[in-house]
Amino acid sequence: MVEISIGSVLLIIFFVLLLVYLLIGMTFNYGKGARGVELIPNYEFWCELPAYVIEGWMFFCRLITCRPTRDNMYDSI
């Protein structure tokens, strides 16, 4: 008998929940009169997500490479 690892179970659960999310969201949006790409639930969020991830990654990289010192931590008066 083949044992399924915890990672496999989590991936199966994730993709099943993703499918349920899409089906319920598309059905709901179709009922509201949406057509085409408007059927995708939270379409604007999913379109903007890659830009937010890139912006967050760039902020993190700048934070790591530009550590404040005692001299440049505060503006001079």
Side-chain angles (χ1 to χ4, degrees):
M1 182 172 195
V2 177
E3 292 186 29
I4 298 178
S5 68
I6 298 296
S8 298
V9 171
L10 290 176
L11 281 174
I12 291 169
I13 291 171
F14 171 76
F15 283 111
V16 167
L17 289 176
L18 179 65
L19 182 65
V20 169
Y21 166 75
L22 287 173
L23 289 176
I24 291 174
M26 290 175 121
T27 303
F28 179 76
N29 287 342
Y30 185 79
K32 289 175 37 179
R35 299 294 182 262
V37 293
E38 295 173 347
L39 286 173
I40 299 171
N42 300 311
Y43 176 72
E44 291 87 14
F45 168 77
W46 293 113
C47 286
E48 295 171 357
L49 183 65
Y52 288 142
V53 170
I54 291 170
E55 184 178 348
W57 181 251
M58 288 172 47
F59 174 77
F60 177 74
C61 290
R62 272 184 267 140
L63 186 68
I64 295 298
T65 59
C66 182
R67 295 192 175 165
T69 62
R70 196 173 256 280
D71 296 332
N72 66 4
M73 203 172 344
Y74 299 104
D75 292 334
S76 60
I77 295 178

